[in-house]
Amino acid sequence: MARAVIAIHGGAGAISRGQMSADKEQAYIRALSDIVGAGQEILAAGGSAIEAVTEAVRLLEECPLFNAGIGSVFTRDGTHEMDACVMDGATLNAGAVAGVRHLRNPVLAARLVLERSPHVLMIGDGAEAFAMQHGMTPVSPEIFSTEERRQQLLQAIGAQQVALDHSAPLDEADKLGTVGAVALDLAGNLAAATSTGGMTNKLPGRVGDSPLPGAGCYANNANVAVSCTGTGEVYIRAQAAYDIAALMEYRCLSLHQATERVIMEKIPTLGGDGGAIAVDREGNVALPFTTEGMYRAWAWVGDAPSVGIYRE
Ligand code: ASP
């Protein structure tokens, strides 16, 4: 029988070893290892894959080091607009929110959409009103802001970039975005979750791949759970997460072959870059990326977690 496993990411981008201070590197390693450990404990106790990915992404949203929830990047207008998605591989049910501005944990709102609404994707004020009807309390948008992200916006405006965090030649300090988790539980169920503040200096109203099932998030018990990070527009056009599942289903590619084909070949051909994390129903893990680095961690139940930042 396959072993339960969880993998998480904190975004892919131009993370270079030389620009990362030892303290900062330790902070990332500690955060990734604690969060993957929390997900691993849920799975070890018999918790479901959807529980494990939701909790891992909630913890990543709470951590200001990552571009999701607290620590989200700024739009061109200096606001925060966040997107999140959760997908259950057992039922193919998905829930997602886009463009939310007053919800501390967008992934929990996505989970409410999955469990308490007849819909898949809700946006803006309507998504927030729905989440509040179901017990979430609004927060002031300033809680998402960090000084580092504000500097990143000023730099992006100065360079007239629509904050292509992943492809722009920005400093490490200015890096990336998006968080995600994928898991296989002891009962053989797969699940995925993705959450993001999007891209620095994006136009208000812009939505990336992260909240779109099939683009930045996908899970199907028949084959794979995937969470993506990268140039959102390209991941949408490539239907990246679903394409990985489709290559496994229709072409019988292995997890490794399917993720390499999509992330390392198809996405760059369309002019994008980034990465993905994926777990298949046998408990194999793939974490490919085209960028200099991707914050990532993975742990099978019973094993010590592994953490990576750069290309090894
Ligand atoms: N894919 C995300 C978006 O386009 C950004 C990222 O992964 O950093 O919103």
Side-chain angles (χ1 to χ4, degrees):
M1 201 179 100
R3 288 171 73 195
V5 61
I6 180 164
I8 63 172
H9 71 80
I15 318 164
S16 71
R17 223 181 270 264
Q19 286 168 326
M20 172 85 93
S21 74
D23 283 355
K24 196 151 190 200
E25 186 172 309
Q26 277 315 308
Y28 277 109
I29 291 172
R30 208 172 317 115
L32 289 164
S33 155
D34 288 353
I35 293 170
V36 84
Q40 189 188 29
E41 272 178 32
I42 292 172
L43 295 175
S48 66
I50 194 122
E51 270 315 317
V53 296
T54 307
E55 177 61 5
V57 168
R58 187 190 72 77
L59 292 168
L60 287 158
E61 288 176 343
E62 288 290 314
C63 179
L65 292 172
F66 304 109
N67 170 22
I70 293 164
S72 283
V73 297
F74 287 92
T75 67
R76 184 198 59 186
D77 293 357
T79 55
H80 302 287
E81 295 186 351
M82 296 164 288
D83 308 328
C85 181
V86 179
M87 186 153 177
D88 180 358
T91 58
L92 299 186
N93 279 339
V97 294
V100 295
R101 300 191 300 138
H102 304 91
L103 300 177
R104 183 178 177 112
N105 295 111
V107 72
L108 299 184
R111 182 86 183 266
L112 283 174
V113 174
L114 189 162
E115 286 177 350
R116 308 272 187 89
S117 87
H119 306 307
V120 169
L121 173 60
M122 297 183 72
I123 63 165
D125 294 346
E128 295 193 351
F130 169 79
M132 284 161 208
Q133 271 162 23
H134 290 277
M136 290 183 78
T137 38
V139 294
S140 160
E142 292 85 65
I143 71 156
F144 302 114
S145 307
T146 61
E147 187 47 34
E148 192 170 322
R149 298 298 185 200
R150 201 177 292 282
Q151 292 307 322
Q152 188 176 346
L153 173 64
L154 295 177
Q155 191 184 343
I157 289 172
Q160 297 190 322
Q161 292 168 340
V162 182
L164 298 172
D165 281 343
H166 299 278
S167 50
L170 298 174
D171 290 340
E172 187 289 323
D174 295 321
K175 48 121 227 152
L176 3 146
T178 300
V179 305
V182 289
L184 172 71
D185 65 26
L186 291 169
N189 293 309
L190 288 163
T194 307
S195 179
T196 190
M199 297 203 293
T200 302
N201 202 21
K202 67 183 179 181
L203 292 178
R206 176 264 187 191
V207 175
D209 60 310
S210 309
L212 304 181
C217 187
Y218 188 74
N220 183 343
N221 273 10
N223 37 58
V224 69
V226 183
S227 172
C228 300
T229 167
T231 328
E233 282 70 9
V234 173
Y235 278 71
I236 295 173
R237 290 162 53 215
Q239 289 294 293
Y242 178 72
D243 199 24
I244 291 169
L247 287 168
M248 294 176 72
E249 184 169 352
Y250 301 127
R251 296 280 301 275
C252 300
L253 296 195
S254 69
L255 176 76
H256 179 75
Q257 289 168 331
T259 52
E260 288 286 309
R261 176 98 182 83
V262 173
I263 302 301
M264 310 306 285
E265 295 173 28
K266 290 182 150 191
I267 293 285
T269 302
L270 289 171
D273 58 24
I277 55 171
V279 168
D280 70 10
R281 63 187 187 144
E282 261 99 54
N284 298 304
V285 175
L287 311 104
F289 52 95
T290 59
T291 45
E292 281 177 72
M294 178 169 79
Y295 295 107
R296 60 200 188 277
W298 61 103
W300 282 273
V301 164
D303 285 1
S306 304
V307 179
I309 299 180
Y310 314 103
R311 191 169 293 292
E312 303 310 336

mmCIF file of all heavy atoms in Angstrom, residues 166 177-178 196 198-199 206 208-210 229-230 232, ligand 1:
data_model
loop_
_atom_site.group_PDB
_atom_site.id
_atom_site.type_symbol
_atom_site.label_atom_id
_atom_site.label_comp_id
_atom_site.label_asym_id
_atom_site.label_seq_id
_atom_site.Cartn_x
_atom_site.Cartn_y
_atom_site.Cartn_z
ATOM 1 N N HIS A 166 8.663 36.094 -11.009
ATOM 2 C CA HIS A 166 9.427 34.898 -11.341
ATOM 3 C C HIS A 166 10.454 35.122 -12.425
ATOM 4 O O HIS A 166 11.487 34.497 -12.443
ATOM 5 C CB HIS A 166 8.485 33.781 -11.770
ATOM 6 C CG HIS A 166 7.563 33.433 -10.669
ATOM 7 N ND1 HIS A 166 7.927 32.591 -9.661
ATOM 8 C CD2 HIS A 166 6.338 33.868 -10.379
ATOM 9 C CE1 HIS A 166 6.942 32.496 -8.810
ATOM 10 N NE2 HIS A 166 5.957 33.267 -9.228
ATOM 11 N N GLY A 177 6.164 34.235 -5.115
ATOM 12 C CA GLY A 177 4.868 34.156 -4.532
ATOM 13 C C GLY A 177 4.248 32.812 -4.551
ATOM 14 O O GLY A 177 4.781 31.885 -5.106
ATOM 15 N N THR A 178 3.121 32.806 -3.930
ATOM 16 C CA THR A 178 2.241 31.655 -3.941
ATOM 17 C C THR A 178 2.711 30.541 -3.019
ATOM 18 O O THR A 178 3.896 30.241 -2.930
ATOM 19 C CB THR A 178 2.055 31.109 -5.373
ATOM 20 O OG1 THR A 178 1.482 32.142 -6.153
ATOM 21 C CG2 THR A 178 1.157 29.913 -5.429
ATOM 22 N N THR A 196 -2.484 32.555 -2.940
ATOM 23 C CA THR A 196 -1.505 33.554 -3.384
ATOM 24 C C THR A 196 -2.001 34.991 -3.204
ATOM 25 O O THR A 196 -3.205 35.243 -3.197
ATOM 26 C CB THR A 196 -1.172 33.347 -4.879
ATOM 27 O OG1 THR A 196 -0.051 34.166 -5.239
ATOM 28 C CG2 THR A 196 -2.335 33.704 -5.781
ATOM 29 N N GLY A 198 -0.767 36.849 -5.544
ATOM 30 C CA GLY A 198 -0.629 37.154 -6.973
ATOM 31 C C GLY A 198 0.724 37.725 -7.295
ATOM 32 O O GLY A 198 1.739 37.296 -6.752
ATOM 33 N N MET A 199 0.763 38.702 -8.203
ATOM 34 C CA MET A 199 2.036 39.268 -8.634
ATOM 35 C C MET A 199 2.097 40.753 -8.276
ATOM 36 O O MET A 199 1.108 41.473 -8.416
ATOM 37 C CB MET A 199 2.220 39.056 -10.130
ATOM 38 C CG MET A 199 2.274 37.571 -10.465
ATOM 39 S SD MET A 199 3.122 37.201 -12.017
ATOM 40 C CE MET A 199 2.052 37.912 -13.175
ATOM 41 N N ARG A 206 -6.956 41.634 -11.603
ATOM 42 C CA ARG A 206 -6.264 40.542 -12.294
ATOM 43 C C ARG A 206 -6.360 39.266 -11.439
ATOM 44 O O ARG A 206 -6.182 39.276 -10.239
ATOM 45 C CB ARG A 206 -4.801 40.915 -12.496
ATOM 46 C CG ARG A 206 -3.941 39.824 -13.123
ATOM 47 C CD ARG A 206 -3.214 39.010 -12.082
ATOM 48 N NE ARG A 206 -2.269 38.063 -12.683
ATOM 49 C CZ ARG A 206 -1.657 37.101 -12.018
ATOM 50 N NH1 ARG A 206 -1.857 36.964 -10.731
ATOM 51 N NH2 ARG A 206 -0.820 36.283 -12.626
ATOM 52 N N GLY A 208 -4.855 35.226 -11.332
ATOM 53 C CA GLY A 208 -3.873 34.300 -11.907
ATOM 54 C C GLY A 208 -4.395 32.873 -11.941
ATOM 55 O O GLY A 208 -5.608 32.621 -11.898
ATOM 56 N N ASP A 209 -3.462 31.942 -12.008
ATOM 57 C CA ASP A 209 -3.825 30.516 -12.112
ATOM 58 C C ASP A 209 -4.210 29.888 -10.786
ATOM 59 O O ASP A 209 -4.917 28.874 -10.759
ATOM 60 C CB ASP A 209 -2.618 29.739 -12.673
ATOM 61 C CG ASP A 209 -1.387 29.866 -11.762
ATOM 62 O OD1 ASP A 209 -1.038 31.011 -11.385
ATOM 63 O OD2 ASP A 209 -0.785 28.838 -11.407
ATOM 64 N N SER A 210 -3.733 30.480 -9.675
ATOM 65 C CA SER A 210 -3.829 29.797 -8.379
ATOM 66 C C SER A 210 -5.247 29.373 -7.995
ATOM 67 O O SER A 210 -5.433 28.270 -7.477
ATOM 68 C CB SER A 210 -3.228 30.673 -7.277
ATOM 69 O OG SER A 210 -1.946 31.090 -7.653
ATOM 70 N N THR A 229 3.177 27.084 -9.016
ATOM 71 C CA THR A 229 3.627 28.448 -8.749
ATOM 72 C C THR A 229 4.392 28.930 -9.974
ATOM 73 O O THR A 229 5.227 28.196 -10.509
ATOM 74 C CB THR A 229 4.530 28.539 -7.509
ATOM 75 O OG1 THR A 229 5.174 29.820 -7.493
ATOM 76 C CG2 THR A 229 5.598 27.456 -7.460
ATOM 77 N N GLY A 230 4.105 30.136 -10.437
ATOM 78 C CA GLY A 230 4.817 30.622 -11.610
ATOM 79 C C GLY A 230 4.026 31.706 -12.309
ATOM 80 O O GLY A 230 3.074 32.257 -11.756
ATOM 81 N N GLY A 232 1.435 33.231 -13.790
ATOM 82 C CA GLY A 232 0.055 32.755 -13.761
ATOM 83 C C GLY A 232 -0.635 32.713 -15.111
ATOM 84 O O GLY A 232 -1.348 31.756 -15.430
HETATM 85 N N1 ASP B 1 1.020 31.913 -10.006
HETATM 86 C C1 ASP B 1 0.817 33.079 -9.185
HETATM 87 C C2 ASP B 1 -0.053 34.071 -9.920
HETATM 88 O O1 ASP B 1 0.110 34.198 -11.112
HETATM 89 C C3 ASP B 1 2.063 33.773 -8.817
HETATM 90 C C4 ASP B 1 3.135 32.931 -8.223
HETATM 91 O O2 ASP B 1 3.128 31.713 -8.277
HETATM 92 O O3 ASP B 1 4.039 33.519 -7.651
HETATM 93 O O4 ASP B 1 -0.848 34.734 -9.296
#
